[in-house]
Amino acid sequence: MAHARAPHLFLPRPRIGLGGPLGPWLLVALGAALCVALHLSSFLALVLGAAIGRWVGAPKGVERLGKRMLEGSIVLLGLGLNGAVVLEAGAAGFAATACTLGLALALGLACMRRFGLERETGLLITVGTAICGGSAIAAAAPALRARPEQIGTALGVVFALNAAALILFPVAGHLLGLDAQAFGTWCAIAIHDTSSVVGAAASFGPEALELATITKLARSLWIVPVVALLAHLTDRNGTAARPPWFLLAFLAAAAATTAFPTLAAASSWSRPLASHGLVLALFCIGLTMDPGAVRPRALGFGLVLWAALAAVGLAWVLR
C-alpha cells in the first residue's frame, strides 16, 4: 500500500497574473527599490520577498540572481579585512566548529529514522544544519544522489529556520546580555545560511558582523571533507566537492588588503554596498521560498538539530 503523502503546513499558494513575463520582474524591481529606499532590515526584506513570491510567483532566474548577489556581497566584505585576522578567527573557531559539527552529524544520524525520514532527506538537513545551510545541501545532494523533492524539503526546512533565526537570535542575544564578539560567534555556530548569519549579526553592529562572517566562512570550508565522507559512507559516486568560489574570493580579498594596506580605504564604499547587497539577496531568497515544501516531520527533525546546536554554541561562547 502506498504511503499517504504528508500534508503541507501551509495552504496552497494563490497566484495573481500580471500580464506578460515582465510583470513579475517589475514587481520584483519595485520590492527591491523599497528595500533600499526604506532601509529594510534583512528579516523584513526576506518577509517582503516571501509575500511577493507567494502571491505572484518568483520570476525565472531570480534564485540565481539572489545567490550571486549574496556571494558578491560576501566578497566585498573581504575588502578592508586583514588576512591575519581572518586566519586567526578561523583557527580560534576550529575546536568549536569540530565539536558542534560532530554533534550535529551524530545527532542527525541517530534521529532521522525516529522522525520517519528518508536517509537522503535526513542527511541533507543534517549537513545543512551542521555547516552552512543551502550551500552545504547543494554540495551534498549530488554525492547522495538525492531526488528533487528531497532537496526541496531540506531547503524548505533550512529556509524556515533561517527566517526564524533572524527574529529570535537578536532578541535572545539582548536578553542574555551577549557582547558583539560572543553574539557574532554564536550566530556563526548556530545559524544555518551565511545570509541569515550576517543578517542577524548586523543587528549587533559592525564588530559582530565582521566576526560572524569570518567565522561562518571558515566553517564553510568543512563542506569538502564532510561531503566526501558522506559520499564514501553511503557508497555513492557523486561529484567531488569543491570550496565555494566566493569563499576563496573572500579570502583573496582579505589577503590583498593585507598585502596592499592602501586597499583598506575601499571599505568606505565596499561595506555599505555589501550591506545593501545582502538585504537585496535576502529579498530574492524570500521570493523563491516555498512554505509548502516544509513537512511537519522534517521541520521537527530540523528543529531538534538546530536547538541542540544553538544550545551547545551558546554554552561555548559563555564558557
Side-chain angles (χ1 to χ4, degrees):
M1 178 182 296
H3 293 288
R5 192 173 183 180
H8 285 325
L9 288 181
F10 298 86
L11 295 176
R13 172 166 53 191
R15 291 295 181 90
I16 298 175
L18 293 179
L22 291 180
W25 277 110
L26 291 175
L27 197 54
V28 168
L30 176 61
L34 286 174
C35 289
V36 175
L38 300 179
H39 301 284
L40 294 185
S41 66
S42 299
F43 172 72
L44 289 179
L46 185 76
V47 170
L48 178 61
I52 293 176
R54 182 170 177 80
W55 285 94
V56 304
K60 185 178 180 180
V62 75
E63 181 177 3
R64 180 181 295 272
L65 174 63
K67 180 181 179 182
R68 293 292 178 259
M69 291 183 68
L70 170 62
E71 294 169 344
S73 299
I74 290 173
V75 174
L76 286 174
L77 288 174
L79 290 175
L81 291 181
N82 188 291
V85 175
V86 175
L87 294 176
E88 182 181 350
F94 179 84
T97 298
C99 291
T100 53
L101 194 150
L103 168 69
L105 292 176
L107 187 60
L109 291 171
C111 293
M112 66 177 67
R113 287 189 177 182
R114 293 182 179 272
F115 282 85
L117 297 180
E118 295 176 304
R119 179 187 60 180
E120 291 80 4
T121 303
L123 287 174
L124 288 176
I125 295 174
T126 299
V127 298
T129 303
I131 308 175
C132 57
S135 297
I137 290 172
L144 297 173
R145 293 183 181 174
R147 300 191 305 273
E149 60 270 22
Q150 295 170 331
I151 300 171
T153 295
L155 288 173
V157 169
V158 165
F159 283 153
L161 297 181
N162 277 331
L166 286 171
I167 304 175
L168 298 177
F169 268 67
V171 173
H174 286 295
L175 290 176
L176 293 169
L178 299 181
D179 58 22
Q181 183 175 6
F183 184 72
T185 303
W186 187 38
C187 287
I189 291 174
I191 300 179
H192 306 73
D193 273 334
T194 304
S195 57
S196 292
V197 169
V198 298
S203 66
F204 264 64
E207 181 183 353
L209 174 60
E210 181 175 312
L211 179 60
T213 301
I214 294 171
T215 306
K216 187 63 176 179
L217 291 174
R219 188 182 185 91
S220 298
L221 289 172
W222 286 82
I223 289 177
V224 179
V226 169
V227 171
L229 177 62
L230 287 176
H232 174 72
L233 292 178
T234 56
D235 194 26
R236 305 288 189 181
N237 295 318
T239 304
R242 293 177 297 175
W245 74 267
F246 67 91
L247 172 58
L248 300 179
F250 172 88
L251 295 174
T257 303
T258 304
F260 305 99
T262 54
L263 289 177
S267 63
S268 62
W269 59 264
S270 64
R271 290 195 178 184
L273 187 59
S275 178
H276 287 306
L278 290 169
V279 169
L280 292 176
L282 280 168
F283 171 71
C284 292
I285 289 171
L287 286 166
T288 63
M289 289 178 63
D290 181 12
V294 183
R295 309 292 178 181
R297 289 187 177 184
L299 183 60
F301 175 72
L303 278 170
V304 168
L305 293 182
W306 188 39
L309 198 62
V312 172
L314 181 61
W316 182 275
V317 300
L318 292 178
R319 74 190 191 284

